[in-house]
Amino acid sequence: MPTPPENRELSPYTGWTRAHWETTADRLLRAVRPYASPRGALIDLPGPRPSWSGARSDGLEGWARTFLLAALRVAGSQGEDPHGHLARYAEGLAAGTAEPGTDDPDSWPLTTDTRQAVVESASVALGLRLTRPWLWDRLDERTRHRVVDWLRPALRPSPVDNNWWLFGLTVAGFLQDAGIETDRAAATVDRSLARIEDWYLGDGWYSDGDNRAFDHYNAWALHFYPVLHAYLAGDRTLLDRYGPRLRRHLDDHVHLFDANGSPLPYGRSLIYRFAAAAAPWLGTLTGHTPLTPGATRRLASGSLRHFLDRGATDPNGLLTLGWHGPYPPLVQEYSGPGSPYWASKGFLGLLLPADHPAWTDPEEALPAERTDTVRPFAPAGLLVQTTAADGLVRLHNHGSNHVHSAPGAEDDPGYARHAYSTRTGPSIAPAPADNHFALLAADGRATTRGPAAPAGAGENWAASLHTPRPGVRVLSATLAHGRAEVRAHLVLGAPEGTPVRQTGWATTPEGPRAELHPVHGYPQDTAAGELPTGETLQGPGARTLALHGTTTGPATLFVALASLTADPAPAPVAALANVRVTGHTLHVTWQHDSTATGTPGTTTRLDLDALVPA
């Protein structure tokens, strides 16, 4: 399948056009065909291990998620299907629901027996909804009854109390459109939306359940399903409620993409890769976006190219379990070989007609390319920092935690780090944690961070509180300007003489340059040492800088300057800010940096004592 020529006039940043998206979709779909079961109902992709749901569920997952891609491809072409994608999936749909839950080699697991099948029912239902004139309406009545029987249990309350509520909503939306079980479907929609309402914190941010897990699920699930359902249903009331929330979220979400196209790797399910582009496409599709059409395509095409150009597919054209290439430490136990194909959501832009400005306007620069930014995401306790000189994105975490985080539990590297970037780590245990502040035991073991509670945020700072040991609290704050970071930790209640350690960015030999400089509380006459952190999702040979200090009383303040930059010859980080400490108050005067686009000479004052709860 020939690759379309690049168009650098229309797409000066990526070279890609709609034709590249269509060709890529066709290639991904053709690549999975050899792995279909005898009648095409399961797609059993090769992988290092099955998910915890088992091989049969994994086969359904491979089918459902690639069916969603086929649906977007065909619906975006108004039914034109020269590669025969839908015919193959129609055959698989009939076979999978003929005798579900049996030993038939094509049968689908039941949603009542296998929880993961509830997840996949959403992709099945959404694919049917998008392609209804060309697939569902042409099925025989018997097959349609069997498909409905398989989907119907997904209308029950969600078995998992997080974004899973939206899978039943998506099934209900299809059944409503098809005129089936409309009253029950409407009740499911109302119940699902009521549940996620409990988790909406404002400014476009949801928590993913009764916790503080904030990550890309905000974009590719918690906004994606309600807004797309409202749009497809033509429900103006729902769209007027959820569309502005999407727009507000995109104000933040767009800042999480590097100039090289990479979305920020933080949180879980990162193997979905360019699914992070789904929400920007959805904003354009529904008219609820702060982005111009050219910026939307630049973001989406940049993200897709970022992964495809860096080995996201194997020699057989299959998406792998990883970030760029395969990377097992990134993979959750619920993910099987077909899981990466939730990246299909990133093809939502194909629903826009070929003459839409998102396809015909010239690409425009991303925020990370235009100006330096320090931006708090207040409800989530996050602080984003971007630099236009290198297009690099950093995220400082002062409030996002894993669903299962608890005091004493092992930290999840996707949530518990103090900082993440588009071109570094995180490191994986047993290597020392990057971007971490720890108390050290006599044997050198470092404390975990555990849940971090937000302690406040401002124009260029954010803070949080965590409890590394019983009776010990640490108030952590990050202040940022340009590429400079001030990292402050006020240790409360630790015995005098307790050793502490601050680590920096986990950089690879080919990656950006990192610095970590002592300011207060650490010995001033020593440079940061270096710790090996092994392989990260960016590649092997990663190392992190580390500073060591010791508590001197019931309240000890440690302050360091840090920097991460792709500038090959950066000014020393110590020259980027003048930090004065008075008691537990920071006075930071930001200095001139030849690569910065912000105003030098401004001062930030932060009283850490005022952020500590009584």
Side-chain angles (χ1 to χ4, degrees):
M1 186 178 294
T3 299
E6 290 189 355
N7 185 336
R8 289 288 171 175
E9 182 177 350
L10 179 64
S11 302
Y13 294 92
T14 71
W16 274 33
T17 64
R18 182 186 176 95
H20 291 88
W21 282 82
E22 293 173 337
T23 299
T24 299
D26 290 333
R27 282 178 172 159
L28 290 171
L29 289 166
R30 290 166 69 91
V32 303
R33 289 183 177 183
Y35 304 95
S37 57
R39 287 175 289 158
L42 304 173
I43 294 183
D44 297 306
L45 299 172
R49 55 146 182 82
S51 73
W52 63 14
S53 298
R56 180 61 60 92
S57 174
D58 293 348
L60 168 63
E61 183 177 65
W63 188 94
R65 299 186 181 198
T66 57
F67 171 52
L68 178 58
L69 177 57
L72 292 167
R73 172 70 174 97
V74 175
S77 300
Q78 290 297 300
E80 292 185 15
D81 189 11
H83 298 284
H85 298 311
L86 282 194
R88 299 178 69 90
Y89 284 96
E91 181 183 0
L93 184 71
T97 57
E99 295 184 77
T102 70
D103 292 332
D104 182 287
D106 278 277
S107 71
W108 287 356
L110 295 169
T111 57
T112 51
D113 297 336
T114 304
R115 292 200 309 182
Q116 185 64 31
V118 176
V119 181
E120 308 318 319
S121 71
S123 292
V124 174
L126 182 54
L128 290 172
R129 192 176 192 180
L130 293 172
T131 61
R132 185 180 163 195
W134 311 290
L135 200 165
W136 179 259
D137 290 349
R138 299 179 183 181
L139 292 175
D140 63 83
E141 197 67 24
R142 185 179 179 187
T143 299
R144 284 196 291 222
H145 278 301
R146 293 201 305 257
V147 172
V148 171
D149 286 344
W150 185 82
L151 288 172
R152 189 181 288 111
L155 299 179
R156 299 173 179 175
S158 173
V160 180
D161 198 26
N162 62 2
N163 69 84
W164 279 43
W165 284 92
L166 299 175
F167 303 141
L169 175 144
T170 304
V171 171
F174 164 65
L175 294 179
Q176 282 181 314
D177 274 6
I180 301 167
E181 297 246 20
T182 54
D183 289 344
R184 187 180 176 193
T188 297
V189 170
D190 292 343
R191 182 175 61 232
S192 301
L193 293 178
R195 187 68 187 108
I196 69 165
E197 195 68 21
D198 292 341
W199 305 325
Y200 185 63
L201 303 180
D203 291 343
W205 284 90
Y206 293 87
S207 60
D208 191 12
D210 289 328
N211 53 66
R212 291 196 58 83
F214 302 103
D215 55 26
H216 291 290
Y217 272 89
N218 263 273
W220 65 41
L222 290 158
H223 286 286
F224 180 86
Y225 289 111
V227 176
L228 185 57
H229 163 70
Y231 172 77
L232 295 175
D235 191 324
R236 176 53 56 182
T237 299
L238 285 184
L239 197 57
D240 286 347
R241 182 191 308 168
Y242 294 103
R245 293 183 182 183
L246 170 63
R247 181 187 182 92
R248 181 62 189 87
H249 184 70
L250 290 175
D251 269 330
D252 290 339
H253 185 68
V254 67
H255 290 275
L256 300 179
F257 289 80
D258 194 296
N260 68 16
S262 176
L264 194 86
Y266 83 113
R268 64 190 177 98
S269 300
L270 295 177
I271 59 170
Y272 303 154
R273 297 180 172 104
F274 43 85
W281 280 130
L282 182 59
T284 299
L285 182 68
T286 62
H288 291 281
T289 181
L291 307 178
T292 65
T296 299
R297 189 176 79 257
R298 188 268 178 272
L299 180 153
S301 293
S303 183
L304 182 58
R305 282 211 68 171
H306 176 84
F307 290 107
L308 295 182
D309 290 350
R310 290 166 176 79
T313 56
D314 69 11
N316 294 317
L318 303 176
L319 288 173
T320 59
L321 288 159
W323 185 245
H324 294 148
Y327 185 58
L330 193 71
V331 184
Q332 274 75 36
E333 292 180 330
Y334 55 74
S335 296
S339 290
Y341 286 88
W342 231 30
S344 299
K345 292 181 177 183
F347 285 81
L348 189 71
L350 291 179
L351 295 184
L352 296 164
D355 61 355
H356 190 281
W359 294 115
T360 60
D361 282 5
E363 288 180 342
E364 297 180 21
L366 295 177
E369 298 168 299
R370 295 198 300 263
T371 186
D372 293 359
T373 299
V374 179
R375 181 186 181 96
F377 302 167
L382 303 173
L383 184 74
V384 71
Q385 175 189 15
T386 68
T387 41
D390 52 14
L392 220 157
V393 178
R394 311 147 191 85
L395 192 72
H396 303 284
N397 175 19
H398 290 282
S400 182
N401 303 304
H402 188 271
V403 176
H404 303 296
S405 289
E410 286 296 318
D411 281 339
D412 185 323
Y415 289 92
R417 302 293 188 257
H418 280 86
Y420 297 86
S421 91
T422 45
R423 302 189 201 177
T424 64
S427 60
I428 304 296
D434 60 299
N435 290 321
H436 182 57
F437 182 83
L439 280 60
L440 301 180
D443 61 2
R445 285 184 298 172
T447 55
T448 58
R449 187 182 188 190
E459 183 179 355
N460 64 348
W461 65 272
S464 59
L465 194 73
H466 69 278
T467 305
R469 287 178 184 164
V472 179
R473 295 183 298 169
V474 177
L475 178 77
S476 300
T478 304
L479 300 84
H481 177 89
R483 65 177 171 91
E485 312 159 33
V486 175
R487 300 182 176 189
H489 304 278
L490 180 60
V491 181
L492 304 167
E496 185 174 346
T498 300
V500 303
R501 183 180 70 196
Q502 166 77 74
T503 56
W505 297 99
T507 57
T508 58
E510 296 77 25
R513 293 169 57 94
E515 291 182 86
L516 190 62
H517 178 74
V519 173
H520 180 87
Y522 306 103
Q524 298 296 296
D525 55 352
T526 58
E530 196 172 54
L531 301 172
T533 57
E535 183 173 4
T536 71
L537 54 79
Q538 304 289 354
R543 305 182 74 83
T544 181
L545 297 171
L547 292 171
H548 290 80
T550 305
T551 60
T552 57
T556 307
L557 177 60
F558 298 91
V559 184
L561 270 165
S563 168
L564 182 72
T565 179
D567 185 344
V573 67
L576 302 183
N578 179 24
V579 183
R580 182 168 57 90
V581 178
T582 305
H584 298 149
T585 299
L586 305 177
H587 307 263
V588 183
T589 301
W590 307 104
Q591 304 299 318
H592 178 72
D593 178 7
S594 61
T595 65
T597 59
T599 302
T602 58
T603 297
T604 301
R605 177 184 179 277
L606 187 61
D607 181 356
L608 300 180
D609 286 331
L611 303 178
V612 180

